[in-house]
Amino acid sequence: GIQVEQSPPDLILQEGANSTLRCNFSDSVNNLQWFHQNPWGQLINLFYIPSGTKQNGRLSATTVATERYSLLYISSSQTTDSGVYFCAVTYSGGGADGLTFGKGTHLIIQP
Amino acid sequence: DTAVSQTPKYLVTQMGNDKSIKCEQNLGHDTMYWYKQDSKKFLKIMFSYNNKELIINETVPNRFSPKSPDKAHLNLHINSLELGDSAVYFCASSQTGGYGYTFGSGTRLTVV
């Protein structure tokens, strides 16, 4: 099956800092999504981004499908950005639209 | 209105018991899923299901079975619970193609 690797595994920043999270994948994908799992455990869909660039407020994402990676940018971090950020993909040979997840980046924003 | 709701939120049960977790979505999505999140936060697909096709992750024990009475519901039945089944189970739904993926709030299952 496909491999999804995220880096860094852990990141601690001060409020107001910017960050870049990376997701590498080992094969062609049908789609790629970013999720945020907040400290209460809720999984929130941030971006559906199989290719190109999207922005939503302080967050933006870029996927370069030909080079098999995606980046999630968080600008002007707030404490509410803390949690785990997951990259997830679907691919030909996978099960329908079932997602294969990376292990996540655990982000802590300190006040 | 909660888009994807699952019950119960917490479930503590003894080894060997049989239990069910219910899931309902009001988004009109075509496909529903069950995921398992282990103690290291790793998320893994268990099942994906639409009205045409059930796809089972081959690593899932046959003690786990999804049951869908209709397009808006996908329940998870677990027989003969084992200690290793302790985890958080998430229900999710999406449109065909994976657009609009929405997760429920999770069910924390503890087997003692």
Side-chain angles (χ1 to χ4, degrees), chain A residues 32-70:
Chain A
L32 184 145
Q33 306 195 40
W34 284 95
F35 294 88
H36 174 218
Q37 187 168 36
N38 64 25
W40 296 271
Q42 181 66 44
L43 281 158
I44 298 164
N45 194 326
L46 299 176
F47 293 103
Y48 175 95
I49 187 164
S51 63
T53 297
K54 290 186 177 179
Q55 180 155 7
N56 184 1
R58 297 180 296 103
L59 273 61
S60 64
T62 295
T63 298
V64 183
T66 53
E67 297 186 21
R68 298 182 185 168
Y69 73 90
S70 183

PDB file of all heavy atoms in Angstrom, chain A residues 32-70:
ATOM      1  N   LEU A  32      -6.000  14.239  -1.719  1.00  0.00           N
ATOM      2  CA  LEU A  32      -5.225  14.462  -0.498  1.00  0.00           C
ATOM      3  C   LEU A  32      -5.989  15.450   0.356  1.00  0.00           C
ATOM      4  O   LEU A  32      -6.539  16.437  -0.161  1.00  0.00           O
ATOM      5  CB  LEU A  32      -3.838  15.003  -0.835  1.00  0.00           C
ATOM      6  CG  LEU A  32      -2.877  15.198   0.348  1.00  0.00           C
ATOM      7  CD1 LEU A  32      -1.458  14.885  -0.078  1.00  0.00           C
ATOM      8  CD2 LEU A  32      -2.975  16.573   0.948  1.00  0.00           C
ATOM      9  N   GLN A  33      -6.033  15.174   1.644  1.00  0.00           N
ATOM     10  CA  GLN A  33      -6.766  16.055   2.549  1.00  0.00           C
ATOM     11  C   GLN A  33      -5.915  16.311   3.789  1.00  0.00           C
ATOM     12  O   GLN A  33      -5.102  15.472   4.191  1.00  0.00           O
ATOM     13  CB  GLN A  33      -8.110  15.416   2.950  1.00  0.00           C
ATOM     14  CG  GLN A  33      -8.934  15.003   1.733  1.00  0.00           C
ATOM     15  CD  GLN A  33     -10.382  14.718   2.025  1.00  0.00           C
ATOM     16  OE1 GLN A  33     -11.034  15.402   2.801  1.00  0.00           O
ATOM     17  NE2 GLN A  33     -10.918  13.685   1.378  1.00  0.00           N
ATOM     18  N   TRP A  34      -6.131  17.476   4.388  1.00  0.00           N
ATOM     19  CA  TRP A  34      -5.520  17.817   5.670  1.00  0.00           C
ATOM     20  C   TRP A  34      -6.615  17.917   6.716  1.00  0.00           C
ATOM     21  O   TRP A  34      -7.684  18.507   6.473  1.00  0.00           O
ATOM     22  CB  TRP A  34      -4.782  19.154   5.582  1.00  0.00           C
ATOM     23  CG  TRP A  34      -3.463  19.095   4.867  1.00  0.00           C
ATOM     24  CD1 TRP A  34      -3.220  19.367   3.551  1.00  0.00           C
ATOM     25  CD2 TRP A  34      -2.188  18.760   5.442  1.00  0.00           C
ATOM     26  NE1 TRP A  34      -1.881  19.216   3.272  1.00  0.00           N
ATOM     27  CE2 TRP A  34      -1.228  18.856   4.418  1.00  0.00           C
ATOM     28  CE3 TRP A  34      -1.767  18.402   6.724  1.00  0.00           C
ATOM     29  CZ2 TRP A  34       0.134  18.602   4.632  1.00  0.00           C
ATOM     30  CZ3 TRP A  34      -0.425  18.147   6.937  1.00  0.00           C
ATOM     31  CH2 TRP A  34       0.522  18.248   5.893  1.00  0.00           C
ATOM     32  N   PHE A  35      -6.332  17.363   7.903  1.00  0.00           N
ATOM     33  CA  PHE A  35      -7.255  17.410   9.019  1.00  0.00           C
ATOM     34  C   PHE A  35      -6.530  17.944  10.250  1.00  0.00           C
ATOM     35  O   PHE A  35      -5.316  17.747  10.423  1.00  0.00           O
ATOM     36  CB  PHE A  35      -7.793  16.009   9.356  1.00  0.00           C
ATOM     37  CG  PHE A  35      -8.666  15.400   8.297  1.00  0.00           C
ATOM     38  CD1 PHE A  35      -8.105  14.655   7.271  1.00  0.00           C
ATOM     39  CD2 PHE A  35     -10.038  15.557   8.331  1.00  0.00           C
ATOM     40  CE1 PHE A  35      -8.900  14.084   6.286  1.00  0.00           C
ATOM     41  CE2 PHE A  35     -10.837  14.987   7.346  1.00  0.00           C
ATOM     42  CZ  PHE A  35     -10.265  14.252   6.324  1.00  0.00           C
ATOM     43  N   HIS A  36      -7.309  18.576  11.119  1.00  0.00           N
ATOM     44  CA  HIS A  36      -6.818  19.000  12.427  1.00  0.00           C
ATOM     45  C   HIS A  36      -7.599  18.246  13.485  1.00  0.00           C
ATOM     46  O   HIS A  36      -8.842  18.275  13.477  1.00  0.00           O
ATOM     47  CB  HIS A  36      -7.015  20.521  12.591  1.00  0.00           C
ATOM     48  CG  HIS A  36      -6.673  21.023  13.949  1.00  0.00           C
ATOM     49  ND1 HIS A  36      -7.398  22.020  14.586  1.00  0.00           N
ATOM     50  CD2 HIS A  36      -5.661  20.693  14.797  1.00  0.00           C
ATOM     51  CE1 HIS A  36      -6.839  22.275  15.756  1.00  0.00           C
ATOM     52  NE2 HIS A  36      -5.781  21.486  15.900  1.00  0.00           N
ATOM     53  N   GLN A  37      -6.886  17.556  14.376  1.00  0.00           N
ATOM     54  CA  GLN A  37      -7.533  16.944  15.525  1.00  0.00           C
ATOM     55  C   GLN A  37      -7.252  17.812  16.737  1.00  0.00           C
ATOM     56  O   GLN A  37      -6.102  17.931  17.173  1.00  0.00           O
ATOM     57  CB  GLN A  37      -7.051  15.516  15.768  1.00  0.00           C
ATOM     58  CG  GLN A  37      -7.853  14.801  16.864  1.00  0.00           C
ATOM     59  CD  GLN A  37      -7.599  13.313  16.920  1.00  0.00           C
ATOM     60  OE1 GLN A  37      -6.494  12.831  16.696  1.00  0.00           O
ATOM     61  NE2 GLN A  37      -8.646  12.539  17.214  1.00  0.00           N
ATOM     62  N   ASN A  38      -8.299  18.449  17.252  1.00  0.00           N
ATOM     63  CA  ASN A  38      -8.095  19.376  18.370  1.00  0.00           C
ATOM     64  C   ASN A  38      -7.875  18.605  19.671  1.00  0.00           C
ATOM     65  O   ASN A  38      -8.006  17.377  19.711  1.00  0.00           O
ATOM     66  CB  ASN A  38      -9.263  20.366  18.457  1.00  0.00           C
ATOM     67  CG  ASN A  38     -10.593  19.702  18.766  1.00  0.00           C
ATOM     68  OD1 ASN A  38     -10.656  18.625  19.362  1.00  0.00           O
ATOM     69  ND2 ASN A  38     -11.668  20.364  18.357  1.00  0.00           N
ATOM     70  N   PRO A  39      -7.508  19.299  20.739  1.00  0.00           N
ATOM     71  CA  PRO A  39      -7.212  18.607  22.005  1.00  0.00           C
ATOM     72  C   PRO A  39      -8.410  17.839  22.562  1.00  0.00           C
ATOM     73  O   PRO A  39      -8.225  16.973  23.429  1.00  0.00           O
ATOM     74  CB  PRO A  39      -6.784  19.752  22.925  1.00  0.00           C
ATOM     75  CG  PRO A  39      -6.214  20.772  21.998  1.00  0.00           C
ATOM     76  CD  PRO A  39      -7.084  20.701  20.768  1.00  0.00           C
ATOM     77  N   TRP A  40      -9.606  18.086  22.100  1.00  0.00           N
ATOM     78  CA  TRP A  40     -10.791  17.362  22.544  1.00  0.00           C
ATOM     79  C   TRP A  40     -11.074  16.153  21.660  1.00  0.00           C
ATOM     80  O   TRP A  40     -12.042  15.444  21.862  1.00  0.00           O
ATOM     81  CB  TRP A  40     -11.996  18.292  22.584  1.00  0.00           C
ATOM     82  CG  TRP A  40     -11.791  19.374  23.591  1.00  0.00           C
ATOM     83  CD1 TRP A  40     -12.107  19.356  24.919  1.00  0.00           C
ATOM     84  CD2 TRP A  40     -11.160  20.640  23.350  1.00  0.00           C
ATOM     85  NE1 TRP A  40     -11.711  20.540  25.509  1.00  0.00           N
ATOM     86  CE2 TRP A  40     -11.131  21.345  24.560  1.00  0.00           C
ATOM     87  CE3 TRP A  40     -10.606  21.248  22.211  1.00  0.00           C
ATOM     88  CZ2 TRP A  40     -10.578  22.617  24.691  1.00  0.00           C
ATOM     89  CZ3 TRP A  40     -10.057  22.515  22.336  1.00  0.00           C
ATOM     90  CH2 TRP A  40     -10.046  23.186  23.570  1.00  0.00           C
ATOM     91  N   GLY A  41     -10.234  15.936  20.677  1.00  0.00           N
ATOM     92  CA  GLY A  41     -10.347  14.734  19.859  1.00  0.00           C
ATOM     93  C   GLY A  41     -11.130  14.879  18.577  1.00  0.00           C
ATOM     94  O   GLY A  41     -11.194  13.928  17.778  1.00  0.00           O
ATOM     95  N   GLN A  42     -11.734  16.015  18.341  1.00  0.00           N
ATOM     96  CA  GLN A  42     -12.548  16.204  17.146  1.00  0.00           C
ATOM     97  C   GLN A  42     -11.669  16.355  15.913  1.00  0.00           C
ATOM     98  O   GLN A  42     -10.707  17.123  15.929  1.00  0.00           O
ATOM     99  CB  GLN A  42     -13.443  17.430  17.299  1.00  0.00           C
ATOM    100  CG  GLN A  42     -14.357  17.707  16.114  1.00  0.00           C
ATOM    101  CD  GLN A  42     -15.410  16.641  15.899  1.00  0.00           C
ATOM    102  OE1 GLN A  42     -16.038  16.174  16.837  1.00  0.00           O
ATOM    103  NE2 GLN A  42     -15.600  16.232  14.649  1.00  0.00           N
ATOM    104  N   LEU A  43     -11.996  15.640  14.846  1.00  0.00           N
ATOM    105  CA  LEU A  43     -11.268  15.723  13.573  1.00  0.00           C
ATOM    106  C   LEU A  43     -11.989  16.693  12.644  1.00  0.00           C
ATOM    107  O   LEU A  43     -13.150  16.483  12.307  1.00  0.00           O
ATOM    108  CB  LEU A  43     -11.199  14.352  12.913  1.00  0.00           C
ATOM    109  CG  LEU A  43     -10.152  13.406  13.456  1.00  0.00           C
ATOM    110  CD1 LEU A  43     -10.512  11.976  13.133  1.00  0.00           C
ATOM    111  CD2 LEU A  43      -8.780  13.744  12.884  1.00  0.00           C
ATOM    112  N   ILE A  44     -11.261  17.721  12.226  1.00  0.00           N
ATOM    113  CA  ILE A  44     -11.851  18.774  11.412  1.00  0.00           C
ATOM    114  C   ILE A  44     -11.157  18.818  10.064  1.00  0.00           C
ATOM    115  O   ILE A  44      -9.925  18.856   9.986  1.00  0.00           O
ATOM    116  CB  ILE A  44     -11.723  20.132  12.131  1.00  0.00           C
ATOM    117  CG1 ILE A  44     -12.486  20.071  13.453  1.00  0.00           C
ATOM    118  CG2 ILE A  44     -12.260  21.273  11.261  1.00  0.00           C
ATOM    119  CD1 ILE A  44     -12.143  21.157  14.428  1.00  0.00           C
ATOM    120  N   ASN A  45     -11.950  18.790   9.015  1.00  0.00           N
ATOM    121  CA  ASN A  45     -11.422  18.818   7.667  1.00  0.00           C
ATOM    122  C   ASN A  45     -10.957  20.239   7.331  1.00  0.00           C
ATOM    123  O   ASN A  45     -11.743  21.179   7.368  1.00  0.00           O
ATOM    124  CB  ASN A  45     -12.524  18.372   6.706  1.00  0.00           C
ATOM    125  CG  ASN A  45     -12.004  18.049   5.325  1.00  0.00           C
ATOM    126  OD1 ASN A  45     -11.064  18.661   4.831  1.00  0.00           O
ATOM    127  ND2 ASN A  45     -12.621  17.082   4.692  1.00  0.00           N
ATOM    128  N   LEU A  46      -9.674  20.388   7.009  1.00  0.00           N
ATOM    129  CA  LEU A  46      -9.119  21.697   6.680  1.00  0.00           C
ATOM    130  C   LEU A  46      -9.130  21.951   5.177  1.00  0.00           C
ATOM    131  O   LEU A  46      -9.558  23.017   4.721  1.00  0.00           O
ATOM    132  CB  LEU A  46      -7.692  21.815   7.206  1.00  0.00           C
ATOM    133  CG  LEU A  46      -7.488  21.703   8.704  1.00  0.00           C
ATOM    134  CD1 LEU A  46      -6.003  21.749   9.033  1.00  0.00           C
ATOM    135  CD2 LEU A  46      -8.243  22.793   9.441  1.00  0.00           C
ATOM    136  N   PHE A  47      -8.581  21.004   4.409  1.00  0.00           N
ATOM    137  CA  PHE A  47      -8.448  21.186   2.965  1.00  0.00           C
ATOM    138  C   PHE A  47      -8.636  19.858   2.238  1.00  0.00           C
ATOM    139  O   PHE A  47      -8.172  18.817   2.682  1.00  0.00           O
ATOM    140  CB  PHE A  47      -7.053  21.727   2.593  1.00  0.00           C
ATOM    141  CG  PHE A  47      -6.778  23.121   3.064  1.00  0.00           C
ATOM    142  CD1 PHE A  47      -5.978  23.342   4.168  1.00  0.00           C
ATOM    143  CD2 PHE A  47      -7.318  24.207   2.383  1.00  0.00           C
ATOM    144  CE1 PHE A  47      -5.719  24.640   4.604  1.00  0.00           C
ATOM    145  CE2 PHE A  47      -7.060  25.501   2.804  1.00  0.00           C
ATOM    146  CZ  PHE A  47      -6.260  25.714   3.923  1.00  0.00           C
ATOM    147  N   TYR A  48      -9.313  19.960   1.097  1.00  0.00           N
ATOM    148  CA  TYR A  48      -9.354  18.889   0.108  1.00  0.00           C
ATOM    149  C   TYR A  48      -8.488  19.393  -1.034  1.00  0.00           C
ATOM    150  O   TYR A  48      -8.874  20.352  -1.715  1.00  0.00           O
ATOM    151  CB  TYR A  48     -10.797  18.666  -0.343  1.00  0.00           C
ATOM    152  CG  TYR A  48     -10.990  17.668  -1.458  1.00  0.00           C
ATOM    153  CD1 TYR A  48     -11.306  16.352  -1.179  1.00  0.00           C
ATOM    154  CD2 TYR A  48     -10.890  18.049  -2.792  1.00  0.00           C
ATOM    155  CE1 TYR A  48     -11.519  15.439  -2.205  1.00  0.00           C
ATOM    156  CE2 TYR A  48     -11.097  17.146  -3.815  1.00  0.00           C
ATOM    157  CZ  TYR A  48     -11.405  15.838  -3.514  1.00  0.00           C
ATOM    158  OH  TYR A  48     -11.613  14.932  -4.522  1.00  0.00           O
ATOM    159  N   ILE A  49      -7.287  18.828  -1.209  1.00  0.00           N
ATOM    160  CA  ILE A  49      -6.325  19.478  -2.102  1.00  0.00           C
ATOM    161  C   ILE A  49      -5.472  18.450  -2.846  1.00  0.00           C
ATOM    162  O   ILE A  49      -4.297  18.269  -2.521  1.00  0.00           O
ATOM    163  CB  ILE A  49      -5.481  20.514  -1.333  1.00  0.00           C
ATOM    164  CG1 ILE A  49      -4.600  21.313  -2.286  1.00  0.00           C
ATOM    165  CG2 ILE A  49      -4.731  19.901  -0.152  1.00  0.00           C
ATOM    166  CD1 ILE A  49      -4.019  22.579  -1.701  1.00  0.00           C
ATOM    167  N   PRO A  50      -6.046  17.775  -3.853  1.00  0.00           N
ATOM    168  CA  PRO A  50      -5.256  16.810  -4.623  1.00  0.00           C
ATOM    169  C   PRO A  50      -4.147  17.458  -5.444  1.00  0.00           C
ATOM    170  O   PRO A  50      -3.170  16.799  -5.795  1.00  0.00           O
ATOM    171  CB  PRO A  50      -6.289  16.143  -5.525  1.00  0.00           C
ATOM    172  CG  PRO A  50      -7.418  17.096  -5.583  1.00  0.00           C
ATOM    173  CD  PRO A  50      -7.433  17.835  -4.278  1.00  0.00           C
ATOM    174  N   SER A  51      -4.289  18.755  -5.740  1.00  0.00           N
ATOM    175  CA  SER A  51      -3.229  19.479  -6.434  1.00  0.00           C
ATOM    176  C   SER A  51      -3.481  20.973  -6.264  1.00  0.00           C
ATOM    177  O   SER A  51      -4.597  21.388  -5.895  1.00  0.00           O
ATOM    178  CB  SER A  51      -3.194  19.127  -7.924  1.00  0.00           C
ATOM    179  OG  SER A  51      -4.398  19.528  -8.544  1.00  0.00           O
ATOM    180  N   GLY A  52      -2.444  21.771  -6.492  1.00  0.00           N
ATOM    181  CA  GLY A  52      -2.609  23.220  -6.459  1.00  0.00           C
ATOM    182  C   GLY A  52      -2.504  23.800  -5.061  1.00  0.00           C
ATOM    183  O   GLY A  52      -1.969  23.181  -4.152  1.00  0.00           O
ATOM    184  N   THR A  53      -3.005  25.012  -4.929  1.00  0.00           N
ATOM    185  CA  THR A  53      -2.911  25.776  -3.683  1.00  0.00           C
ATOM    186  C   THR A  53      -4.283  26.294  -3.274  1.00  0.00           C
ATOM    187  O   THR A  53      -5.056  26.728  -4.136  1.00  0.00           O
ATOM    188  CB  THR A  53      -1.940  26.961  -3.860  1.00  0.00           C
ATOM    189  OG1 THR A  53      -0.634  26.456  -4.148  1.00  0.00           O
ATOM    190  CG2 THR A  53      -1.880  27.810  -2.594  1.00  0.00           C
ATOM    191  N   LYS A  54      -4.552  26.212  -1.971  1.00  0.00           N
ATOM    192  CA  LYS A  54      -5.781  26.768  -1.426  1.00  0.00           C
ATOM    193  C   LYS A  54      -5.459  27.549  -0.166  1.00  0.00           C
ATOM    194  O   LYS A  54      -4.477  27.250   0.525  1.00  0.00           O
ATOM    195  CB  LYS A  54      -6.793  25.661  -1.100  1.00  0.00           C
ATOM    196  CG  LYS A  54      -7.391  24.973  -2.305  1.00  0.00           C
ATOM    197  CD  LYS A  54      -8.484  24.010  -1.886  1.00  0.00           C
ATOM    198  CE  LYS A  54      -9.135  23.373  -3.111  1.00  0.00           C
ATOM    199  NZ  LYS A  54     -10.199  22.404  -2.728  1.00  0.00           N
ATOM    200  N   GLN A  55      -6.294  28.528   0.128  1.00  0.00           N
ATOM    201  CA  GLN A  55      -6.103  29.307   1.345  1.00  0.00           C
ATOM    202  C   GLN A  55      -7.430  29.441   2.059  1.00  0.00           C
ATOM    203  O   GLN A  55      -8.490  29.595   1.433  1.00  0.00           O
ATOM    204  CB  GLN A  55      -5.532  30.693   1.025  1.00  0.00           C
ATOM    205  CG  GLN A  55      -5.302  31.541   2.260  1.00  0.00           C
ATOM    206  CD  GLN A  55      -4.247  32.600   2.056  1.00  0.00           C
ATOM    207  OE1 GLN A  55      -3.746  32.814   0.952  1.00  0.00           O
ATOM    208  NE2 GLN A  55      -3.890  33.281   3.135  1.00  0.00           N
ATOM    209  N   ASN A  56      -7.347  29.401   3.401  1.00  0.00           N
ATOM    210  CA  ASN A  56      -8.528  29.617   4.233  1.00  0.00           C
ATOM    211  C   ASN A  56      -8.066  30.366   5.471  1.00  0.00           C
ATOM    212  O   ASN A  56      -7.535  29.777   6.413  1.00  0.00           O
ATOM    213  CB  ASN A  56      -9.177  28.285   4.615  1.00  0.00           C
ATOM    214  CG  ASN A  56     -10.460  28.490   5.391  1.00  0.00           C
ATOM    215  OD1 ASN A  56     -10.883  29.631   5.642  1.00  0.00           O
ATOM    216  ND2 ASN A  56     -11.104  27.411   5.781  1.00  0.00           N
ATOM    217  N   GLY A  57      -8.217  31.674   5.440  1.00  0.00           N
ATOM    218  CA  GLY A  57      -7.777  32.502   6.568  1.00  0.00           C
ATOM    219  C   GLY A  57      -6.278  32.421   6.753  1.00  0.00           C
ATOM    220  O   GLY A  57      -5.515  32.673   5.821  1.00  0.00           O
ATOM    221  N   ARG A  58      -5.870  32.045   7.973  1.00  0.00           N
ATOM    222  CA  ARG A  58      -4.434  31.968   8.280  1.00  0.00           C
ATOM    223  C   ARG A  58      -3.796  30.677   7.788  1.00  0.00           C
ATOM    224  O   ARG A  58      -2.580  30.492   7.906  1.00  0.00           O
ATOM    225  CB  ARG A  58      -4.223  32.094   9.790  1.00  0.00           C
ATOM    226  CG  ARG A  58      -4.656  33.415  10.384  1.00  0.00           C
ATOM    227  CD  ARG A  58      -4.406  33.463  11.900  1.00  0.00           C
ATOM    228  NE  ARG A  58      -5.228  32.462  12.607  1.00  0.00           N
ATOM    229  CZ  ARG A  58      -4.764  31.327  13.068  1.00  0.00           C
ATOM    230  NH1 ARG A  58      -3.492  30.999  12.924  1.00  0.00           N
ATOM    231  NH2 ARG A  58      -5.574  30.505  13.704  1.00  0.00           N
ATOM    232  N   LEU A  59      -4.590  29.769   7.286  1.00  0.00           N
ATOM    233  CA  LEU A  59      -4.078  28.487   6.806  1.00  0.00           C
ATOM    234  C   LEU A  59      -4.071  28.451   5.286  1.00  0.00           C
ATOM    235  O   LEU A  59      -4.984  28.986   4.646  1.00  0.00           O
ATOM    236  CB  LEU A  59      -4.956  27.347   7.317  1.00  0.00           C
ATOM    237  CG  LEU A  59      -4.655  26.747   8.685  1.00  0.00           C
ATOM    238  CD1 LEU A  59      -4.784  27.779   9.801  1.00  0.00           C
ATOM    239  CD2 LEU A  59      -5.548  25.565   8.964  1.00  0.00           C
ATOM    240  N   SER A  60      -3.041  27.827   4.755  1.00  0.00           N
ATOM    241  CA  SER A  60      -3.006  27.569   3.321  1.00  0.00           C
ATOM    242  C   SER A  60      -2.319  26.225   3.095  1.00  0.00           C
ATOM    243  O   SER A  60      -1.599  25.731   3.969  1.00  0.00           O
ATOM    244  CB  SER A  60      -2.295  28.677   2.556  1.00  0.00           C
ATOM    245  OG  SER A  60      -0.947  28.749   2.934  1.00  0.00           O
ATOM    246  N   ALA A  61      -2.586  25.624   1.943  1.00  0.00           N
ATOM    247  CA  ALA A  61      -2.002  24.331   1.616  1.00  0.00           C
ATOM    248  C   ALA A  61      -1.629  24.305   0.149  1.00  0.00           C
ATOM    249  O   ALA A  61      -2.300  24.924  -0.683  1.00  0.00           O
ATOM    250  CB  ALA A  61      -2.965  23.196   1.946  1.00  0.00           C
ATOM    251  N   THR A  62      -0.554  23.577  -0.133  1.00  0.00           N
ATOM    252  CA  THR A  62      -0.098  23.390  -1.504  1.00  0.00           C
ATOM    253  C   THR A  62       0.226  21.924  -1.702  1.00  0.00           C
ATOM    254  O   THR A  62       0.922  21.330  -0.874  1.00  0.00           O
ATOM    255  CB  THR A  62       1.165  24.228  -1.780  1.00  0.00           C
ATOM    256  OG1 THR A  62       0.839  25.610  -1.695  1.00  0.00           O
ATOM    257  CG2 THR A  62       1.724  23.930  -3.164  1.00  0.00           C
ATOM    258  N   THR A  63      -0.261  21.349  -2.787  1.00  0.00           N
ATOM    259  CA  THR A  63       0.079  19.986  -3.155  1.00  0.00           C
ATOM    260  C   THR A  63       0.742  19.987  -4.526  1.00  0.00           C
ATOM    261  O   THR A  63       0.183  20.547  -5.474  1.00  0.00           O
ATOM    262  CB  THR A  63      -1.159  19.075  -3.171  1.00  0.00           C
ATOM    263  OG1 THR A  63      -1.714  19.012  -1.862  1.00  0.00           O
ATOM    264  CG2 THR A  63      -0.786  17.658  -3.616  1.00  0.00           C
ATOM    265  N   VAL A  64       1.929  19.379  -4.605  1.00  0.00           N
ATOM    266  CA  VAL A  64       2.617  19.191  -5.880  1.00  0.00           C
ATOM    267  C   VAL A  64       2.564  17.697  -6.175  1.00  0.00           C
ATOM    268  O   VAL A  64       3.416  16.925  -5.730  1.00  0.00           O
ATOM    269  CB  VAL A  64       4.066  19.710  -5.817  1.00  0.00           C
ATOM    270  CG1 VAL A  64       4.717  19.571  -7.192  1.00  0.00           C
ATOM    271  CG2 VAL A  64       4.098  21.151  -5.342  1.00  0.00           C
ATOM    272  N   ALA A  65       1.526  17.305  -6.888  1.00  0.00           N
ATOM    273  CA  ALA A  65       1.250  15.881  -7.076  1.00  0.00           C
ATOM    274  C   ALA A  65       2.376  15.179  -7.833  1.00  0.00           C
ATOM    275  O   ALA A  65       2.709  14.034  -7.536  1.00  0.00           O
ATOM    276  CB  ALA A  65      -0.083  15.708  -7.806  1.00  0.00           C
ATOM    277  N   THR A  66       2.976  15.876  -8.803  1.00  0.00           N
ATOM    278  CA  THR A  66       4.034  15.247  -9.609  1.00  0.00           C
ATOM    279  C   THR A  66       5.265  14.936  -8.774  1.00  0.00           C
ATOM    280  O   THR A  66       6.025  14.024  -9.093  1.00  0.00           O
ATOM    281  CB  THR A  66       4.426  16.159 -10.776  1.00  0.00           C
ATOM    282  OG1 THR A  66       4.746  17.457 -10.258  1.00  0.00           O
ATOM    283  CG2 THR A  66       3.277  16.271 -11.775  1.00  0.00           C
ATOM    284  N   GLU A  67       5.471  15.699  -7.684  1.00  0.00           N
ATOM    285  CA  GLU A  67       6.619  15.456  -6.822  1.00  0.00           C
ATOM    286  C   GLU A  67       6.220  14.766  -5.525  1.00  0.00           C
ATOM    287  O   GLU A  67       7.048  14.559  -4.639  1.00  0.00           O
ATOM    288  CB  GLU A  67       7.345  16.776  -6.547  1.00  0.00           C
ATOM    289  CG  GLU A  67       7.912  17.397  -7.820  1.00  0.00           C
ATOM    290  CD  GLU A  67       8.765  18.623  -7.541  1.00  0.00           C
ATOM    291  OE1 GLU A  67       9.247  18.785  -6.407  1.00  0.00           O
ATOM    292  OE2 GLU A  67       8.920  19.435  -8.478  1.00  0.00           O
ATOM    293  N   ARG A  68       4.960  14.435  -5.410  1.00  0.00           N
ATOM    294  CA  ARG A  68       4.433  13.608  -4.316  1.00  0.00           C
ATOM    295  C   ARG A  68       4.653  14.220  -2.942  1.00  0.00           C
ATOM    296  O   ARG A  68       5.169  13.563  -2.013  1.00  0.00           O
ATOM    297  CB  ARG A  68       5.004  12.185  -4.387  1.00  0.00           C
ATOM    298  CG  ARG A  68       4.596  11.488  -5.678  1.00  0.00           C
ATOM    299  CD  ARG A  68       5.094  10.081  -5.750  1.00  0.00           C
ATOM    300  NE  ARG A  68       4.773   9.504  -7.053  1.00  0.00           N
ATOM    301  CZ  ARG A  68       5.280   8.355  -7.496  1.00  0.00           C
ATOM    302  NH1 ARG A  68       6.128   7.670  -6.739  1.00  0.00           N
ATOM    303  NH2 ARG A  68       4.930   7.883  -8.677  1.00  0.00           N
ATOM    304  N   TYR A  69       4.255  15.496  -2.804  1.00  0.00           N
ATOM    305  CA  TYR A  69       4.282  16.084  -1.478  1.00  0.00           C
ATOM    306  C   TYR A  69       3.223  17.172  -1.363  1.00  0.00           C
ATOM    307  O   TYR A  69       2.723  17.702  -2.368  1.00  0.00           O
ATOM    308  CB  TYR A  69       5.663  16.654  -1.121  1.00  0.00           C
ATOM    309  CG  TYR A  69       6.031  17.935  -1.828  1.00  0.00           C
ATOM    310  CD1 TYR A  69       5.706  19.178  -1.276  1.00  0.00           C
ATOM    311  CD2 TYR A  69       6.731  17.909  -3.032  1.00  0.00           C
ATOM    312  CE1 TYR A  69       6.045  20.348  -1.921  1.00  0.00           C
ATOM    313  CE2 TYR A  69       7.080  19.078  -3.679  1.00  0.00           C
ATOM    314  CZ  TYR A  69       6.738  20.297  -3.130  1.00  0.00           C
ATOM    315  OH  TYR A  69       7.077  21.456  -3.773  1.00  0.00           O
ATOM    316  N   SER A  70       2.873  17.468  -0.118  1.00  0.00           N
ATOM    317  CA  SER A  70       1.956  18.555   0.181  1.00  0.00           C
ATOM    318  C   SER A  70       2.478  19.308   1.396  1.00  0.00           C
ATOM    319  O   SER A  70       3.135  18.721   2.273  1.00  0.00           O
ATOM    320  CB  SER A  70       0.551  18.022   0.461  1.00  0.00           C
ATOM    321  OG  SER A  70      -0.368  19.062   0.681  1.00  0.00           O
TER     322      SER A  70
END
